[in-house]
Amino acid sequence: MEKIEKNKLLGEEDVKKLLIKFSVPAIIGMLVNALYNVIDKIFLGQVSSLAIAGVHLTYPVSLIIMAFSMLIGMGGNSLSSIRMGQGRVKQSEKILGQSFTLQFILSVALTIIILLFPEEILKRLGSSEALLPIASEYLFIIAIGIPAQLLGFGMNFFIRGEGSPSTAMGTMLIGAITNIILDYVFVILMGMGVKGAALSTIIGQYLSMIWVFAFFLGKKTSLKLKRENIKLETPVVKEIIALGLAPFGMQLAASLVIVVFNLQVNHYGDDQAIAAMGIMHSISTLAFMPVFGLNQGSQPIIGFNYGAKKYHRVKEAFKLACIVATIYMTLTYLAMMFIPETLIKAFIMNAKDIDKVMPGAVSCLRLSSLANPVVGFQIISSNYFQATGKAVRGIILSLSRQLLILLPVLLIVPRFLGLNGVWLTYPISDILSFILTLAFMIKELRLLNKEIEIENIDYA
């Protein structure tokens, strides 16, 4: 009875309350998850700016790992939420089991590839010879944590989707708090440097994974991880992948773009410019995580009600998410314009390094965030199409901001403006993507309004 009531709330409870209930834990969880990478840089910043630059070079690999996690986790959860909205709980459990199998297979494959070729991968990611030893040491250890990252983070989407956002938040908190404590012990107290930062990260990831599996094997979940559901079935796998392609494409494109960024910064700048970019990406990652958390919180609400044909609730959830995301991203813009030095100093402790990195980092942070106020709408809209099962449109919008528009701009603009042109790539791409997204959503909202009219007639 409790399980039925939990799912029923998605279709009946006040949408504002639901959005708060699901989004706040998701936002906290996403912020905490972002700390995995950011905290390493903050502690390593007490060692040297080159340590930050070296760890930043591994960032594309982290994005690729997260992309595969989101491909199966978000795709499976979207499909599961729709099936639950249709009252097909057994089918939702089958989706959960097959998502687990897919994530396990992918994690093993990725681990083997990275362990065999760490230096070759980093050279292709734009590493200089000076940064290669630092980056390869960090990456080799991080690769050992890939199974935990993929399974823990990927399966956590289902915890939130079945109606347990606080438990999902706990997954993130366990890993991140462990990471922070061990970073201090390994990096500061024991002086282990990059190796200590990497070890603290993977230990936190494995503890998070254990928490996730304890939940799905326990009694509090409405979705059970059962042995009979882990065998792959082609139709289900295709649906999972189709719905996960939008976030997967966004993350994969982000990884490719970071690689090209590294290459462009190497061409127009130096290792200190890469350190500045690493700091900017860490700040931006923390800034963007609440919007991604809002995405995760709104996804089961939109997906469930779309499956239940309660279109007025779908529109209300989307509208509220857009308003909150836009207000928040405007605040991040103001912070990056007026207090960039304060944000940057959190990452650089060494006085000599501050003098070297600060001017470039300030310019990088300010220029890259010029279009922040319009980004929230674009991200929420991409998620809307994914949550409602319209994968193709979600993919197009996701890739428009991260690849289709951004990459050409990144290759062209720096030729005329040098290093500043690299930083300006983000706002130019964001504005063009916003215009495309607005065109898509105007058409979609017209269709949604027609469904609401029919719904109101049926209700009357």
Side-chain angles (χ1 to χ4, degrees):
M1 187 68 178
E2 183 182 347
K3 296 174 184 176
I4 295 172
E5 287 299 318
K6 187 191 294 183
N7 295 332
K8 194 177 178 181
L9 286 176
L10 287 166
E12 295 183 2
E13 190 171 333
D14 180 73
V15 173
K16 295 185 186 69
K17 291 181 180 178
L18 276 175
L19 198 59
I20 293 170
K21 180 179 179 180
F22 278 75
S23 295
V24 171
I27 288 168
I28 294 171
M30 290 300 290
L31 281 169
V32 168
N33 185 64
L35 288 175
Y36 272 120
N37 188 270
V38 174
I39 287 296
D40 284 350
K41 290 180 182 175
I42 289 174
F43 279 100
L44 289 172
Q46 299 187 47
V47 179
S48 76
S49 59
L50 289 183
I52 293 178
V55 171
H56 175 70
L57 286 170
T58 69
Y59 188 51
V61 178
S62 296
L63 289 178
I64 290 172
I65 297 167
M66 188 177 289
F68 281 103
S69 179
M70 294 172 78
L71 172 67
I72 309 303
M74 291 190 75
N77 181 51
S78 294
L79 186 59
S80 176
S81 293
I82 292 170
R83 294 291 179 266
M84 288 179 75
Q86 296 168 343
R88 299 164 63 184
V89 178
K90 288 187 177 179
Q91 184 65 19
S92 292
E93 287 190 334
K94 183 175 287 188
I95 294 164
L96 173 69
Q98 295 189 46
S99 295
F100 162 77
T101 304
L102 287 169
Q103 287 166 339
F104 178 77
I105 293 170
L106 287 170
S107 69
V108 172
L110 289 169
T111 301
I112 292 172
I113 292 170
I114 294 173
L115 287 176
L116 288 176
F117 310 106
E119 291 193 0
E120 290 82 353
I121 291 170
L122 287 166
K123 287 177 181 178
R124 293 184 180 274
L125 295 180
S127 176
S128 65
E129 289 298 325
L131 295 177
L132 189 59
I134 299 171
S136 60
E137 182 179 32
Y138 186 83
L139 181 61
F140 188 87
I141 297 172
I142 288 296
I144 300 171
I146 290 176
Q149 184 177 354
L150 215 65
L151 289 166
F153 185 72
M155 298 295 283
N156 202 45
F157 288 107
F158 287 90
I159 296 180
R160 186 174 296 107
E162 68 87 54
S164 301
S166 297
T167 303
M169 180 180 68
T171 304
M172 303 297 191
L173 286 173
I174 288 171
I177 291 172
T178 300
N179 188 27
I180 292 169
I181 294 171
L182 293 182
D183 259 331
Y184 178 74
V185 173
F186 292 158
V187 178
I188 304 302
L189 297 183
M190 299 178 65
M192 294 175 67
V194 169
K195 183 184 292 184
L199 284 172
S200 66
T201 297
I202 67 170
I203 292 171
Q205 288 169 345
Y206 274 102
L207 288 177
S208 293
M209 183 188 72
I210 292 169
W211 169 271
V212 168
F213 284 118
F215 176 80
F216 281 117
L217 296 174
K219 298 180 180 179
K220 294 182 178 180
T221 175
S222 57
L223 292 177
K224 293 286 187 179
L225 185 60
K226 300 176 181 177
R227 183 178 297 177
E228 62 264 28
N229 290 326
I230 65 174
K231 184 179 179 181
L232 297 179
E233 297 176 6
T234 302
V236 177
V237 171
K238 285 182 177 179
E239 286 189 280
I240 290 171
I241 292 175
L243 290 178
L245 278 176
F248 173 75
M250 181 179 288
Q251 289 297 114
L252 207 62
S255 178
L256 175 61
V257 167
I258 295 299
V259 173
V260 179
F261 260 107
N262 289 342
L263 295 172
Q264 291 289 71
V265 172
N266 264 336
H267 181 70
Y268 294 103
D270 53 20
D271 287 344
Q272 294 299 337
I274 290 181
M277 185 169 68
I279 293 169
M280 180 272 286
H281 275 290
S282 293
I283 294 170
S284 296
T285 296
L286 288 174
F288 275 69
M289 282 304 110
V291 179
F292 293 131
L294 188 62
N295 252 352
Q296 289 187 23
S298 64
Q299 185 186 66
I301 302 169
I302 292 173
F304 184 95
N305 285 285
Y306 193 85
K309 297 184 178 181
K310 296 184 177 182
Y311 300 110
H312 68 287
R313 291 174 62 81
V314 173
K315 182 179 178 180
E316 186 179 357
F318 169 73
K319 182 180 177 181
L320 282 171
C322 282
I323 291 171
V324 173
T326 300
I327 292 172
Y328 168 75
M329 288 307 297
T330 300
L331 293 175
T332 67
Y333 162 79
L334 294 173
M336 293 177 189
M337 289 299 109
F338 294 107
I339 56 168
E341 294 89 353
T342 302
L343 300 174
I344 292 164
K345 283 179 181 177
F347 292 84
I348 300 293
M349 305 294 179
N350 187 292
K352 190 180 294 184
D353 280 342
I354 287 177
D355 292 337
K356 291 179 182 177
V357 178
M358 183 63 77
V362 168
S363 178
C364 173
L365 191 60
R366 281 178 170 160
L367 292 176
S368 65
S369 61
L370 285 172
N372 273 18
V374 302
V375 173
F377 171 80
Q378 203 277 341
I379 294 174
I380 298 295
S381 297
S382 298
N383 177 71
Y384 168 88
F385 287 110
Q386 178 205 337
T388 55
K390 299 172 183 178
V392 175
R393 275 167 279 186
I395 293 168
I396 292 172
L397 291 181
S398 296
L399 292 181
S400 69
R401 178 173 177 262
Q402 294 288 346
L403 184 66
L404 301 178
I405 295 174
L406 191 145
L407 194 56
V409 173
L410 178 56
L411 294 172
I412 295 170
V413 174
R415 293 185 180 185
F416 302 96
L417 299 176
L419 191 59
N420 282 339
V422 177
W423 311 144
L424 283 168
T425 295
Y426 278 117
I428 293 172
S429 174
D430 288 338
I431 291 170
L432 294 175
S433 297
F434 168 76
I435 294 170
L436 177 64
T437 302
L438 187 61
F440 269 66
M441 281 311 304
I442 288 173
K443 183 178 179 180
E444 178 64 23
L445 287 173
R446 285 173 181 166
L447 295 173
L448 190 62
N449 285 333
K450 288 181 181 179
E451 295 288 359
I452 292 172
E453 289 177 10
I454 295 171
E455 181 185 353
N456 290 335
I457 292 171
D458 291 341
Y459 181 76

